[in-house]
Amino acid sequence: MKLKAVKLKTLLLSVVAGAAIATAALAWGSAGHRFIGEEAIRALPDYTPAFLRSPEAIADIGEYANEPDRWRDSGFVHDSERNAAHFIDLDDEGKTLAGQTLYELPKTRADYEISLNAKEQKIWKSGYLPYALVDGYQQVVKDFAYWRVLNLLETRETDKAKKAWYRADRIRRESLIKRDIGVLAHYVGDTTQPLHMSIHYNGWGEEFANPNGYTLEKIHVPLENAFVDANISAADVRGAMAPYGPCTDGPEKCFAKRMLKSHALVVPLYELEKAGGFKPGDPRGRDFMKQQLGQGASDLRDVILDAWRDSKTMQVGWPKATYDDFVGNKVADPYLTLHGGAG
C-alpha cells in the first residue's frame, strides 16, 4: 500500500508540474488578445448582426478574449482539464508528440489522448489547441443559428407572451454569443503566437540539438507581454490585417493550415531574437509581432464570418430544424420547438 501511495503521489506531482508548464505560457498577454478581439469585430461587414458590431460588443469581446487566461489557477481539476487547450507542441517537422501531422489528428480529443499515451506522452505536455478551436467554432455556429431563428420568430409572432419570450431569449443569446466569441478569440489568437506551436516554446531547450545557437532563455512571456505592451498599438494591428479568406475545407483543415503557417515562423522568430530584432528600437521585432497580431485579428474575423455562414444550415431546437425550415414554415410549432414543454 505504501508503494502504491508513493506512485500515486509521483503521478499527481507530474500532472501538477505539467499544468504549471502550461500555465507559464500566456499566449499574447492581455493587450495582444484584446487587440485581436476588438479589431476582428471592428472589421466585420454590415451583413452581420448589428448587435455584434456595436461599441459595447467590441469592448466586451476584447475583454472576453482574455477569459481563458483568467480561468487559470481555479483548482486542480479545472486547470488540468483546461490549461493544455492553449497550445499544441509540434516538433521541427510539424508533427505532434504522437507522431501525426495536424491533418492526421484523430476526430476527437479522447482518441488523440489515446494516441499520445501509446507513445508514452501526456496531453498536458502535448497540448490540444486544435480541439479547443473546433469546439469553440462549433459553439459559435450553434449560437448564431439560434439567434437567426429567434430574431426571425420575434418579428413574426403575434402572441404577446410568446413574442416576449423570443425577445428575451434572443437577448440572452446575444450575451452568450459575445462571451463565446471572446473565448474562441483567445484560442484563435494563440495560433498566431509561434511559440504556442512548438516544442521550443520557451527558449530552444537544452534537450534539443541547437547547432545554430538559439537562445535558451525564457523568452515566451517577455515577448508576448512586455514587448507587445511597449511596441504595438491597436492601429498597428488594424493596419496589418488581411482581406477575408473564407474557409471551404471544413474548420479542422482550416485551423490546421493556420497553425502550420505559424509553426513555420518558429525558426525565423529565434533567428530574429538571435540577431537582436527584439531589442529596444529595432523595427524588425515590432514588425514581426505586428504582423502576427494582425494575422490573429484577420483569422478571427474570418472564423466569425464562416460561423455566421454555417449557422444558416445548423439545426436548432427539438424536433431539429434549420433557419430555412423556419423561414419556409416547415416547423409545425416553432415555439414548442425552441421553448420546449409547458411554461
Side-chain angles (χ1 to χ4, degrees):
M1 290 295 293
K2 187 177 291 186
L3 180 58
K4 288 184 178 179
V6 170
K7 288 183 177 179
L8 178 59
K9 183 177 180 181
T10 301
L11 174 61
L12 289 173
L13 287 173
S14 70
V15 174
V16 171
I21 290 171
T23 301
L26 294 174
W28 282 116
S30 59
H33 281 298
R34 189 176 292 114
F35 288 150
I36 288 171
E38 291 181 350
E39 295 311 317
I41 301 304
R42 283 196 178 96
L44 291 177
D46 290 346
Y47 65 78
T48 54
F51 84 88
L52 191 56
R53 294 178 278 111
S54 69
E56 178 188 17
I58 291 170
D60 285 349
I61 291 170
E63 296 308 319
Y64 287 141
N66 278 304
E67 198 65 13
D69 279 343
R70 292 170 175 159
W71 292 340
R72 296 175 186 272
D73 302 320
S74 295
F76 178 81
V77 172
H78 179 283
D79 294 351
S80 62
E81 172 63 23
R82 300 195 187 197
N83 284 357
H86 297 256
F87 65 95
I88 179 79
D89 276 3
L90 302 177
D91 65 18
D92 294 340
E93 295 180 349
K95 293 184 177 181
T96 72
L97 300 186
Q100 314 111 324
T101 69
L102 292 181
Y103 295 113
E104 298 168 338
L105 286 176
K107 196 168 186 66
T108 69
R109 181 160 70 89
D111 287 332
Y112 177 54
E113 188 162 3
I114 291 171
S115 72
L116 287 167
N117 292 341
K119 297 287 188 179
E120 299 185 342
Q121 298 287 349
K122 300 298 181 184
I123 200 160
W124 53 256
K125 183 179 180 182
S126 165
Y128 62 87
L129 178 57
Y131 297 97
L133 288 162
V134 176
D135 172 54
Y137 177 79
Q138 292 174 344
Q139 182 61 63
V140 172
V141 174
K142 180 68 78 172
D143 286 340
F144 276 149
Y146 271 105
W147 186 91
R148 279 183 184 272
V149 172
L150 289 163
N151 190 59
L152 170 72
L153 296 179
E154 183 185 350
T155 64
R156 285 183 171 183
E157 187 59 61
T158 57
D159 181 281
K160 289 184 178 180
K162 291 180 180 179
K163 188 180 187 73
W165 184 84
Y166 288 139
R167 179 178 185 277
D169 208 47
R170 172 183 58 77
I171 292 170
R172 281 189 288 268
R173 184 59 53 181
E174 290 174 2
S175 294
L176 286 170
I177 287 171
K178 290 188 290 183
R179 195 260 193 183
D180 291 341
I181 286 178
V183 171
L184 179 58
H186 186 95
Y187 296 129
V188 170
D190 283 346
T191 67
T192 60
Q193 216 289 32
L195 297 178
H196 275 247
M197 302 294 111
S198 175
I199 54 176
H200 310 294
Y201 55 85
N202 199 14
W204 193 256
E206 294 182 359
E207 67 271 35
F208 304 113
N210 191 8
N212 295 313
Y214 298 136
T215 185
L216 302 177
E217 297 296 320
K218 306 295 186 185
I219 62 172
H220 194 130
V221 171
L223 287 183
E224 66 195 16
N225 280 274
F227 185 87
V228 170
D229 289 350
N231 292 279
I232 308 297
S233 69
D236 290 330
V237 177
R238 195 176 310 137
M241 292 179 68
Y244 171 49
C247 170
T248 57
D249 294 330
E252 291 87 354
K253 288 185 178 179
C254 290
F255 283 129
K257 183 178 179 181
R258 292 182 179 111
M259 286 183 280
L260 288 174
K261 181 178 179 181
S262 187
H263 177 264
L265 295 174
V266 172
V267 169
L269 184 151
Y270 276 98
E271 291 279 5
L272 186 57
E273 192 282 333
K274 182 180 177 181
F278 294 108
K279 290 182 178 179
D282 193 314
R284 294 175 295 173
R286 181 177 181 274
D287 289 345
F288 183 94
M289 290 303 197
K290 182 171 62 175
Q291 179 61 40
Q292 291 310 106
L293 287 163
Q295 187 67 59
S298 299
D299 289 348
L300 178 60
R301 176 208 55 212
D302 294 359
V303 167
I304 294 168
L305 293 179
D306 291 338
W308 177 247
R309 175 199 66 200
D310 292 348
S311 69
K312 197 167 185 286
T313 55
M314 171 69 75
Q315 294 179 317
V316 298
W318 185 260
K320 296 182 290 185
T322 67
Y323 173 75
D324 284 341
D325 291 332
F326 287 93
V327 170
N329 295 311
K330 297 178 181 179
V331 180
D333 188 337
Y335 183 76
L336 184 62
T337 296
L338 292 184
H339 180 275

